[in-house]
Amino acid sequence: MKLNFYASLVLICGLQYSSCAKAIEADSLSQKLQVQVNAIGAKTYTVANAAELNALTLAPGDKVVMKVGEWKSQLINFKAKGTAENPITLVAETKGQVVLTGNSNLKIDGEWLVVDGLSFKNGFSLKDDVVIFTKNTSNSRLTNTSIENYNPNDKTVDYKWVSLYGKRNRVDHCSISGKTHQGTTLVVWLDDKPNYHQIDHNYFGPRPDLENNGGETIRIGTSTYSMNDSYTTVENNIFDKCNGEIEIISIKSGYNRILNNLFYECAGTVTFRHGNNSEVSNNYFIGNNLTNTGGVRIIGENQKVHGNYLYKISGRTLRSAISVMNAYQNPALNDYWQVKNADIQNNIIVSSKEAFVLGAGKDDKRIVAPNGVTITNNYVINPNALLVSQDEPKNLKIENNQLDGGTLITGFVKMGNDLQLSDGIWQKKTALKKPFWLNTVVGPDWKKDNRSFIFK
């Protein structure tokens, strides 16, 4: 009888080897881990390395706690499926004190997953991007995490620090600073369907000029999918001296919103590079007269530039406060497309070299002027040049703008008393607000950087 029982067990495991092996592996693992079970049956696992974490089979509501310490060259694959009511979380035992070094990276793969409180530093990735939300990932989140100076010795090596695939994922309250090698810092990757990602309350720290293409801090899309819509929102972030290339944020898709961010002393612009129907509104561009600081560069159709504050922008032409570009006659997907129906209103431009440039970049290829540019209800104070026309747009409308400290032209009147200084910023008296970085947590709550942003 005993012999028959064991013979049957061997037969079952022989037919279902992988299931038995996985069960034995899980039993062995559970003996090593600290496992707690709460009232609804969700488990909390405490792990000490990637092998322990990667071997877990997680259920909705489960929590994985990473032990404090250095995690050197750990390849973490956080793969699971939570639910909206019961997400699965991966957290540092103490936020900021789980330090991923060497050649560590993180893959987030699944649904309703949350990663919270990690720190990447003193290392670099060997081949993959540092943090990847996979194509199958949705409704997942990276929060309270830092990636700092995670650079290879060879500055020509190209990998991204954060790659956002999938749908409805979020990166928030992170500190991402010090990228010195080739490749965009954070990329939103598109396919043929919108992805609705959210990037908010992050601190993007200094990045030196690469002196070539590929040094954006954020890119939303690619040329290949540039006529597809993303619906990504970038909101309440700080971009501090992000100088990688001319495009701080490169919008290469449709229906994106860049809202209420601070661009502090960045040698570049927010650029509508490809795609249509996006919006750049209520942002603060503080140039402090530093070389090549820029504002907003417009390409494509139905782009909106509303309510931004642009202060001492020193850039000219393509890097002016607001630059409206010329286009190619028969553009390929990666070329410059004609500006149509650009809507520029309610911006405040203070002490900048060139407030508006029309037909920017005109040359022997960029010969198609904008068509349908509206510039209304803007305020301009002490410009070096109010309006520079490198080409003549069709259907240009300039009206109800106010100017102080310059020569009036058609569409501008002498400034009245609509504005007042509040928190060091010229604002409409009827719409005063405190700049978000003065009363909102930006970056990880465990990381105190003592940042200050001075209007010089």
Side-chain angles (χ1 to χ4, degrees):
M1 189 75 175
K2 196 171 187 179
L3 180 61
N4 290 339
F5 170 77
Y6 282 110
S8 298
L9 182 61
V10 170
L11 177 61
I12 292 170
C13 284
L15 293 174
Q16 300 179 348
Y17 173 78
S18 61
S19 297
C20 289
K22 191 170 183 179
I24 292 168
E25 180 185 7
D27 286 343
S28 175
L29 181 66
S30 66
Q31 293 173 11
K32 298 178 183 178
L33 303 180
Q34 300 172 34
V35 182
Q36 299 174 344
V37 182
N38 68 17
I40 62 169
K43 296 179 180 179
T44 297
Y45 301 89
T46 301
V47 298
N49 55 58
E52 292 179 358
L53 192 160
N54 296 346
L56 293 174
T57 300
L58 298 167
D62 284 353
K63 180 179 182 179
V64 183
V65 179
M66 298 171 67
K67 287 185 177 179
V68 165
E70 180 181 5
W71 288 51
K72 187 172 183 179
S73 298
Q74 300 291 300
L75 307 182
I76 297 170
N77 185 18
F78 183 33
K79 183 178 178 68
K81 288 189 177 181
T83 65
E85 297 78 17
N86 294 294
I88 299 171
T89 57
L90 174 64
V91 301
E93 186 176 36
T94 301
K95 292 180 183 180
Q97 294 185 32
V98 172
V99 183
L100 294 119
T101 66
N103 306 124
S104 297
N105 58 30
L106 166 66
K107 185 177 292 183
I108 302 171
D109 186 5
E111 300 172 9
W112 298 103
L113 306 178
V114 178
V115 178
D116 187 352
L118 308 186
S119 173
F120 288 83
K121 63 182 179 181
N122 301 326
F124 59 92
S125 182
L126 287 177
K127 53 178 182 178
D128 289 331
D129 300 337
V130 181
V131 177
I132 301 174
F133 291 73
T134 71
K135 293 180 180 179
N136 299 318
T137 300
S138 63
N139 298 297
S140 294
R141 180 183 180 194
L142 176 72
T143 187
N144 273 319
T145 291
S146 71
I147 309 174
E148 296 183 318
N149 304 312
Y150 213 66
N151 299 300
N153 292 327
D154 183 355
K155 303 308 180 188
T156 66
V157 172
D158 186 334
Y159 62 79
K160 284 61 177 173
W161 280 12
V162 180
S163 275
L164 271 170
Y165 293 91
K167 302 288 185 291
R168 299 186 185 278
N169 297 313
R170 182 183 181 195
V171 177
D172 68 282
H173 294 92
C174 293
S175 178
I176 303 173
S177 181
K179 192 173 195 291
T180 60
H181 65 96
Q182 189 72 25
T184 307
T185 304
L186 186 157
V187 178
V188 171
W189 299 95
L190 263 69
D191 53 26
D192 57 349
K193 295 179 181 178
N195 43 35
Y196 302 99
H197 294 313
Q198 175 84 17
I199 302 164
D200 64 281
H201 295 91
N202 302 288
Y203 172 73
F204 293 94
R207 182 169 191 191
D209 187 356
L210 288 182
E211 299 181 351
N212 54 47
N213 197 26
E216 308 98 327
T217 296
I218 294 178
R219 192 181 76 226
I220 306 172
T222 60
S223 299
T224 303
Y225 289 101
S226 57
M227 293 304 160
N228 292 47
D229 298 328
S230 176
Y231 291 93
T232 288
T233 299
V234 180
E235 187 173 19
N236 294 323
N237 302 281
I238 294 172
F239 297 83
D240 183 9
K241 301 179 181 66
C242 294
N243 302 337
E245 61 150 86
I246 189 174
E247 297 173 17
I248 310 163
I249 296 180
S250 182
I251 303 171
K252 293 188 173 183
S253 52
Y255 287 101
N256 302 290
R257 301 186 306 157
I258 314 300
L259 308 176
N260 201 41
N261 303 280
L262 169 63
F263 299 89
Y264 186 77
E265 296 184 350
C266 295
T269 66
V270 173
T271 301
F272 298 93
R273 186 60 184 86
H274 298 307
N276 306 311
N277 303 297
S278 288
E279 176 183 357
V280 175
S281 294
N282 300 311
N283 302 281
Y284 302 83
F285 296 82
I286 310 304
N288 284 336
N289 280 330
L290 294 185
T291 302
N292 286 331
T293 49
V296 182
R297 187 161 59 117
I298 303 174
I299 304 157
E301 301 181 14
N302 306 317
Q303 319 286 27
K304 295 180 180 179
V305 181
H306 292 175
N308 300 285
Y309 187 75
L310 302 109
Y311 177 80
K312 291 190 177 180
I313 303 300
S314 73
R316 300 178 59 251
T317 63
L318 304 185
R319 297 177 189 253
S320 62
I322 298 177
S323 175
V324 185
M325 285 199 67
N326 259 27
Y328 285 27
Q329 193 158 20
N330 296 297
L333 276 176
N334 62 340
D335 289 333
Y336 291 87
W337 288 65
Q338 186 180 21
V339 173
K340 295 180 181 178
N341 304 319
D343 185 12
I344 303 166
Q345 59 176 287
N346 291 310
N347 302 284
I348 299 174
I349 304 173
V350 180
S351 301
S352 296
K353 274 196 176 177
E354 295 177 343
F356 303 98
V357 176
L358 302 177
K362 180 181 180 180
D363 58 17
D364 58 350
K365 290 185 178 180
R366 291 187 288 242
I367 60 174
V368 180
N371 186 354
V373 177
T374 298
I375 302 174
T376 59
N377 302 311
N378 299 283
Y379 298 84
V380 183
I381 300 171
N382 296 325
N384 225 15
L386 175 59
L387 180 68
V388 177
S389 295
Q390 297 184 357
D391 206 343
E392 295 299 323
K394 299 176 182 177
N395 301 308
L396 174 64
K397 177 182 176 182
I398 304 178
E399 62 183 28
N400 298 324
N401 302 285
Q402 297 188 34
L403 173 67
D404 181 48
T407 302
L408 293 175
I409 61 173
T410 301
F412 285 81
V413 298
K414 184 175 177 56
M415 188 173 293
N417 60 353
D418 293 356
L419 304 182
Q420 76 174 58
L421 273 175
S422 178
D423 289 307
I425 297 170
W426 286 104
Q427 303 187 51
K428 286 187 178 180
K429 293 178 180 178
T430 56
L432 297 179
K433 63 178 181 179
K434 188 167 284 292
F436 71 94
W437 63 90
L438 296 180
N439 59 6
T440 305
V441 175
V442 178
D445 56 14
W446 52 265
K447 187 175 175 58
K448 305 303 180 187
D449 291 317
N450 298 316
R451 297 183 295 261
S452 63
F453 303 102
I454 300 169
F455 292 43
K456 302 173 185 175

PDB file of all heavy atoms in Angstrom, residues 42-67:
ATOM      1  N   ALA A  42      -4.257  38.335   2.487  1.00  0.00           N
ATOM      2  CA  ALA A  42      -3.100  38.846   1.755  1.00  0.00           C
ATOM      3  C   ALA A  42      -1.830  38.628   2.571  1.00  0.00           C
ATOM      4  O   ALA A  42      -1.845  38.698   3.797  1.00  0.00           O
ATOM      5  CB  ALA A  42      -3.284  40.335   1.452  1.00  0.00           C
ATOM      6  N   LYS A  43      -0.747  38.369   1.880  1.00  0.00           N
ATOM      7  CA  LYS A  43       0.503  38.034   2.548  1.00  0.00           C
ATOM      8  C   LYS A  43       1.512  39.178   2.427  1.00  0.00           C
ATOM      9  O   LYS A  43       1.526  39.916   1.441  1.00  0.00           O
ATOM     10  CB  LYS A  43       1.104  36.770   1.942  1.00  0.00           C
ATOM     11  CG  LYS A  43       0.245  35.531   2.138  1.00  0.00           C
ATOM     12  CD  LYS A  43       0.873  34.312   1.485  1.00  0.00           C
ATOM     13  CE  LYS A  43       0.001  33.066   1.688  1.00  0.00           C
ATOM     14  NZ  LYS A  43       0.581  31.868   1.027  1.00  0.00           N
ATOM     15  N   THR A  44       2.363  39.303   3.434  1.00  0.00           N
ATOM     16  CA  THR A  44       3.502  40.213   3.396  1.00  0.00           C
ATOM     17  C   THR A  44       4.774  39.374   3.443  1.00  0.00           C
ATOM     18  O   THR A  44       4.971  38.602   4.385  1.00  0.00           O
ATOM     19  CB  THR A  44       3.483  41.197   4.574  1.00  0.00           C
ATOM     20  OG1 THR A  44       2.313  42.010   4.482  1.00  0.00           O
ATOM     21  CG2 THR A  44       4.713  42.094   4.554  1.00  0.00           C
ATOM     22  N   TYR A  45       5.592  39.510   2.418  1.00  0.00           N
ATOM     23  CA  TYR A  45       6.856  38.784   2.326  1.00  0.00           C
ATOM     24  C   TYR A  45       8.005  39.752   2.563  1.00  0.00           C
ATOM     25  O   TYR A  45       7.996  40.871   2.036  1.00  0.00           O
ATOM     26  CB  TYR A  45       7.039  38.175   0.933  1.00  0.00           C
ATOM     27  CG  TYR A  45       5.963  37.210   0.508  1.00  0.00           C
ATOM     28  CD1 TYR A  45       4.822  37.661  -0.147  1.00  0.00           C
ATOM     29  CD2 TYR A  45       6.103  35.839   0.732  1.00  0.00           C
ATOM     30  CE1 TYR A  45       3.834  36.776  -0.563  1.00  0.00           C
ATOM     31  CE2 TYR A  45       5.125  34.943   0.314  1.00  0.00           C
ATOM     32  CZ  TYR A  45       3.994  35.420  -0.335  1.00  0.00           C
ATOM     33  OH  TYR A  45       3.025  34.535  -0.744  1.00  0.00           O
ATOM     34  N   THR A  46       9.002  39.363   3.304  1.00  0.00           N
ATOM     35  CA  THR A  46      10.226  40.149   3.462  1.00  0.00           C
ATOM     36  C   THR A  46      11.355  39.417   2.747  1.00  0.00           C
ATOM     37  O   THR A  46      11.620  38.250   3.039  1.00  0.00           O
ATOM     38  CB  THR A  46      10.567  40.353   4.942  1.00  0.00           C
ATOM     39  OG1 THR A  46       9.475  41.035   5.582  1.00  0.00           O
ATOM     40  CG2 THR A  46      11.828  41.185   5.098  1.00  0.00           C
ATOM     41  N   VAL A  47      11.995  40.116   1.788  1.00  0.00           N
ATOM     42  CA  VAL A  47      13.000  39.475   0.940  1.00  0.00           C
ATOM     43  C   VAL A  47      14.334  40.204   1.064  1.00  0.00           C
ATOM     44  O   VAL A  47      14.389  41.392   1.380  1.00  0.00           O
ATOM     45  CB  VAL A  47      12.555  39.440  -0.537  1.00  0.00           C
ATOM     46  CG1 VAL A  47      11.280  38.609  -0.690  1.00  0.00           C
ATOM     47  CG2 VAL A  47      12.321  40.856  -1.080  1.00  0.00           C
ATOM     48  N   ALA A  48      15.409  39.466   0.760  1.00  0.00           N
ATOM     49  CA  ALA A  48      16.759  40.016   0.916  1.00  0.00           C
ATOM     50  C   ALA A  48      17.510  40.124  -0.403  1.00  0.00           C
ATOM     51  O   ALA A  48      18.597  40.701  -0.444  1.00  0.00           O
ATOM     52  CB  ALA A  48      17.562  39.160   1.890  1.00  0.00           C
ATOM     53  N   ASN A  49      16.948  39.601  -1.483  1.00  0.00           N
ATOM     54  CA  ASN A  49      17.631  39.671  -2.779  1.00  0.00           C
ATOM     55  C   ASN A  49      16.623  39.438  -3.898  1.00  0.00           C
ATOM     56  O   ASN A  49      15.471  39.050  -3.658  1.00  0.00           O
ATOM     57  CB  ASN A  49      18.783  38.663  -2.861  1.00  0.00           C
ATOM     58  CG  ASN A  49      18.324  37.251  -2.560  1.00  0.00           C
ATOM     59  OD1 ASN A  49      17.435  36.719  -3.216  1.00  0.00           O
ATOM     60  ND2 ASN A  49      18.927  36.631  -1.547  1.00  0.00           N
ATOM     61  N   ALA A  50      17.092  39.656  -5.142  1.00  0.00           N
ATOM     62  CA  ALA A  50      16.201  39.540  -6.292  1.00  0.00           C
ATOM     63  C   ALA A  50      15.725  38.117  -6.505  1.00  0.00           C
ATOM     64  O   ALA A  50      14.588  37.890  -6.934  1.00  0.00           O
ATOM     65  CB  ALA A  50      16.920  40.055  -7.536  1.00  0.00           C
ATOM     66  N   ALA A  51      16.565  37.119  -6.222  1.00  0.00           N
ATOM     67  CA  ALA A  51      16.163  35.723  -6.426  1.00  0.00           C
ATOM     68  C   ALA A  51      14.945  35.382  -5.576  1.00  0.00           C
ATOM     69  O   ALA A  51      13.997  34.733  -6.051  1.00  0.00           O
ATOM     70  CB  ALA A  51      17.321  34.794  -6.104  1.00  0.00           C
ATOM     71  N   GLU A  52      14.947  35.819  -4.320  1.00  0.00           N
ATOM     72  CA  GLU A  52      13.802  35.562  -3.457  1.00  0.00           C
ATOM     73  C   GLU A  52      12.553  36.279  -3.971  1.00  0.00           C
ATOM     74  O   GLU A  52      11.461  35.700  -3.998  1.00  0.00           O
ATOM     75  CB  GLU A  52      14.116  36.020  -2.033  1.00  0.00           C
ATOM     76  CG  GLU A  52      15.175  35.183  -1.333  1.00  0.00           C
ATOM     77  CD  GLU A  52      15.489  35.670   0.073  1.00  0.00           C
ATOM     78  OE1 GLU A  52      14.916  36.694   0.506  1.00  0.00           O
ATOM     79  OE2 GLU A  52      16.300  35.006   0.740  1.00  0.00           O
ATOM     80  N   LEU A  53      12.728  37.523  -4.391  1.00  0.00           N
ATOM     81  CA  LEU A  53      11.597  38.304  -4.876  1.00  0.00           C
ATOM     82  C   LEU A  53      11.036  37.715  -6.173  1.00  0.00           C
ATOM     83  O   LEU A  53       9.817  37.535  -6.318  1.00  0.00           O
ATOM     84  CB  LEU A  53      12.037  39.752  -5.084  1.00  0.00           C
ATOM     85  CG  LEU A  53      10.994  40.832  -5.333  1.00  0.00           C
ATOM     86  CD1 LEU A  53      11.574  42.206  -5.012  1.00  0.00           C
ATOM     87  CD2 LEU A  53      10.473  40.837  -6.759  1.00  0.00           C
ATOM     88  N   ASN A  54      11.919  37.400  -7.107  1.00  0.00           N
ATOM     89  CA  ASN A  54      11.490  36.935  -8.419  1.00  0.00           C
ATOM     90  C   ASN A  54      10.797  35.588  -8.358  1.00  0.00           C
ATOM     91  O   ASN A  54      10.010  35.230  -9.247  1.00  0.00           O
ATOM     92  CB  ASN A  54      12.689  36.859  -9.375  1.00  0.00           C
ATOM     93  CG  ASN A  54      13.301  38.224  -9.646  1.00  0.00           C
ATOM     94  OD1 ASN A  54      12.708  39.261  -9.348  1.00  0.00           O
ATOM     95  ND2 ASN A  54      14.499  38.237 -10.193  1.00  0.00           N
ATOM     96  N   ALA A  55      11.065  34.790  -7.325  1.00  0.00           N
ATOM     97  CA  ALA A  55      10.476  33.457  -7.204  1.00  0.00           C
ATOM     98  C   ALA A  55       9.070  33.476  -6.607  1.00  0.00           C
ATOM     99  O   ALA A  55       8.376  32.454  -6.629  1.00  0.00           O
ATOM    100  CB  ALA A  55      11.383  32.564  -6.355  1.00  0.00           C
ATOM    101  N   LEU A  56       8.633  34.618  -6.104  1.00  0.00           N
ATOM    102  CA  LEU A  56       7.336  34.683  -5.444  1.00  0.00           C
ATOM    103  C   LEU A  56       6.185  34.586  -6.445  1.00  0.00           C
ATOM    104  O   LEU A  56       6.264  35.097  -7.563  1.00  0.00           O
ATOM    105  CB  LEU A  56       7.200  35.995  -4.675  1.00  0.00           C
ATOM    106  CG  LEU A  56       8.121  36.196  -3.467  1.00  0.00           C
ATOM    107  CD1 LEU A  56       7.946  37.618  -2.922  1.00  0.00           C
ATOM    108  CD2 LEU A  56       7.836  35.176  -2.389  1.00  0.00           C
ATOM    109  N   THR A  57       5.120  33.934  -6.032  1.00  0.00           N
ATOM    110  CA  THR A  57       3.849  33.973  -6.752  1.00  0.00           C
ATOM    111  C   THR A  57       2.902  34.822  -5.920  1.00  0.00           C
ATOM    112  O   THR A  57       2.473  34.430  -4.834  1.00  0.00           O
ATOM    113  CB  THR A  57       3.276  32.561  -6.934  1.00  0.00           C
ATOM    114  OG1 THR A  57       4.202  31.768  -7.682  1.00  0.00           O
ATOM    115  CG2 THR A  57       1.943  32.622  -7.679  1.00  0.00           C
ATOM    116  N   LEU A  58       2.598  36.014  -6.445  1.00  0.00           N
ATOM    117  CA  LEU A  58       1.894  37.022  -5.657  1.00  0.00           C
ATOM    118  C   LEU A  58       0.430  37.104  -6.052  1.00  0.00           C
ATOM    119  O   LEU A  58       0.064  36.905  -7.213  1.00  0.00           O
ATOM    120  CB  LEU A  58       2.561  38.379  -5.835  1.00  0.00           C
ATOM    121  CG  LEU A  58       4.026  38.440  -5.364  1.00  0.00           C
ATOM    122  CD1 LEU A  58       4.704  39.704  -5.867  1.00  0.00           C
ATOM    123  CD2 LEU A  58       4.089  38.367  -3.844  1.00  0.00           C
ATOM    124  N   ALA A  59      -0.400  37.424  -5.078  1.00  0.00           N
ATOM    125  CA  ALA A  59      -1.842  37.550  -5.275  1.00  0.00           C
ATOM    126  C   ALA A  59      -2.276  38.966  -4.917  1.00  0.00           C
ATOM    127  O   ALA A  59      -1.557  39.696  -4.231  1.00  0.00           O
ATOM    128  CB  ALA A  59      -2.565  36.526  -4.403  1.00  0.00           C
ATOM    129  N   PRO A  60      -3.458  39.384  -5.389  1.00  0.00           N
ATOM    130  CA  PRO A  60      -3.945  40.730  -5.065  1.00  0.00           C
ATOM    131  C   PRO A  60      -3.894  41.013  -3.564  1.00  0.00           C
ATOM    132  O   PRO A  60      -4.278  40.179  -2.742  1.00  0.00           O
ATOM    133  CB  PRO A  60      -5.383  40.707  -5.580  1.00  0.00           C
ATOM    134  CG  PRO A  60      -5.341  39.761  -6.730  1.00  0.00           C
ATOM    135  CD  PRO A  60      -4.383  38.681  -6.316  1.00  0.00           C
ATOM    136  N   GLY A  61      -3.383  42.204  -3.230  1.00  0.00           N
ATOM    137  CA  GLY A  61      -3.263  42.615  -1.839  1.00  0.00           C
ATOM    138  C   GLY A  61      -1.952  42.263  -1.180  1.00  0.00           C
ATOM    139  O   GLY A  61      -1.642  42.765  -0.094  1.00  0.00           O
ATOM    140  N   ASP A  62      -1.141  41.415  -1.825  1.00  0.00           N
ATOM    141  CA  ASP A  62       0.146  41.024  -1.240  1.00  0.00           C
ATOM    142  C   ASP A  62       1.111  42.207  -1.215  1.00  0.00           C
ATOM    143  O   ASP A  62       1.016  43.142  -2.013  1.00  0.00           O
ATOM    144  CB  ASP A  62       0.774  39.869  -2.019  1.00  0.00           C
ATOM    145  CG  ASP A  62       0.108  38.529  -1.736  1.00  0.00           C
ATOM    146  OD1 ASP A  62      -0.752  38.477  -0.833  1.00  0.00           O
ATOM    147  OD2 ASP A  62       0.444  37.541  -2.417  1.00  0.00           O
ATOM    148  N   LYS A  63       2.056  42.119  -0.295  1.00  0.00           N
ATOM    149  CA  LYS A  63       3.074  43.160  -0.135  1.00  0.00           C
ATOM    150  C   LYS A  63       4.433  42.490  -0.007  1.00  0.00           C
ATOM    151  O   LYS A  63       4.584  41.501   0.712  1.00  0.00           O
ATOM    152  CB  LYS A  63       2.767  43.984   1.116  1.00  0.00           C
ATOM    153  CG  LYS A  63       3.733  45.101   1.428  1.00  0.00           C
ATOM    154  CD  LYS A  63       3.287  45.843   2.689  1.00  0.00           C
ATOM    155  CE  LYS A  63       4.179  47.007   3.031  1.00  0.00           C
ATOM    156  NZ  LYS A  63       3.702  47.714   4.254  1.00  0.00           N
ATOM    157  N   VAL A  64       5.420  43.032  -0.709  1.00  0.00           N
ATOM    158  CA  VAL A  64       6.783  42.534  -0.624  1.00  0.00           C
ATOM    159  C   VAL A  64       7.658  43.636  -0.043  1.00  0.00           C
ATOM    160  O   VAL A  64       7.693  44.749  -0.575  1.00  0.00           O
ATOM    161  CB  VAL A  64       7.330  42.105  -2.002  1.00  0.00           C
ATOM    162  CG1 VAL A  64       8.724  41.517  -1.865  1.00  0.00           C
ATOM    163  CG2 VAL A  64       6.391  41.106  -2.677  1.00  0.00           C
ATOM    164  N   VAL A  65       8.340  43.326   1.035  1.00  0.00           N
ATOM    165  CA  VAL A  65       9.202  44.289   1.715  1.00  0.00           C
ATOM    166  C   VAL A  65      10.657  43.931   1.420  1.00  0.00           C
ATOM    167  O   VAL A  65      11.101  42.812   1.707  1.00  0.00           O
ATOM    168  CB  VAL A  65       8.944  44.280   3.234  1.00  0.00           C
ATOM    169  CG1 VAL A  65       9.876  45.268   3.938  1.00  0.00           C
ATOM    170  CG2 VAL A  65       7.490  44.611   3.537  1.00  0.00           C
ATOM    171  N   MET A  66      11.398  44.887   0.859  1.00  0.00           N
ATOM    172  CA  MET A  66      12.816  44.681   0.562  1.00  0.00           C
ATOM    173  C   MET A  66      13.644  45.131   1.768  1.00  0.00           C
ATOM    174  O   MET A  66      13.501  46.263   2.235  1.00  0.00           O
ATOM    175  CB  MET A  66      13.207  45.459  -0.692  1.00  0.00           C
ATOM    176  CG  MET A  66      12.452  45.017  -1.934  1.00  0.00           C
ATOM    177  SD  MET A  66      12.702  46.108  -3.374  1.00  0.00           S
ATOM    178  CE  MET A  66      14.435  45.834  -3.725  1.00  0.00           C
ATOM    179  N   LYS A  67      14.493  44.245   2.259  1.00  0.00           N
ATOM    180  CA  LYS A  67      15.282  44.546   3.454  1.00  0.00           C
ATOM    181  C   LYS A  67      16.245  45.696   3.214  1.00  0.00           C
ATOM    182  O   LYS A  67      16.822  45.845   2.139  1.00  0.00           O
ATOM    183  CB  LYS A  67      16.061  43.307   3.897  1.00  0.00           C
ATOM    184  CG  LYS A  67      15.203  42.224   4.536  1.00  0.00           C
ATOM    185  CD  LYS A  67      16.066  41.072   5.052  1.00  0.00           C
ATOM    186  CE  LYS A  67      15.221  40.019   5.749  1.00  0.00           C
ATOM    187  NZ  LYS A  67      16.061  38.885   6.241  1.00  0.00           N
TER     188      LYS A  67
END
